[in-house]
Amino acid sequence: MPLFEYKCRECGTMFEKIVASSTTRVACKKCQSSKVDKLLPVFAVGGTSRSQASFEPGPCGACGAPERGMCGMD
Ligand SMILES: [Zn+2]
């Protein structure tokens, strides 16, 4: 279940709530106001660099065989 973080526009309270579906109404846990902003989820910072991906196709290229001729396609 996704856990989202919200901030109330009325009182500024920040709180987290597990939202089962996008239609779930979220109200401030402090003042019960429905005027809340959903904050962006915080995932791993930095992420991965595609340029550093270690994946390289095998010499064959067609089947990924580690050595040429193993699949007979080249
Ligand atoms: Zn509030």
Side-chain angles (χ1 to χ4, degrees):
M1 283 243 226
L3 177 67
F4 293 108
E5 193 169 9
Y6 293 86
K7 183 175 182 180
C8 177
R9 291 189 203 174
E10 296 291 333
C11 69
T13 296
M14 291 176 66
F15 57 98
E16 294 175 335
K17 185 176 178 66
I18 294 174
V19 180
S21 75
S22 60
T23 58
T24 301
R25 290 180 64 87
V26 179
C28 174
K29 68 177 183 179
K30 185 174 182 181
C31 70
Q32 311 306 317
S33 171
S34 60
K35 294 178 182 177
V36 296
D37 291 323
K38 183 161 70 175
L39 305 181
L40 293 175
V42 179
F43 292 121
V45 178
T48 57
S49 173
R50 289 179 184 277
S51 65
Q52 293 178 347
S54 60
F55 174 78
E56 291 182 22
C60 173
C63 71
E67 293 182 28
R68 280 187 174 277
M70 286 186 70
C71 69
M73 295 181 71
D74 60 359

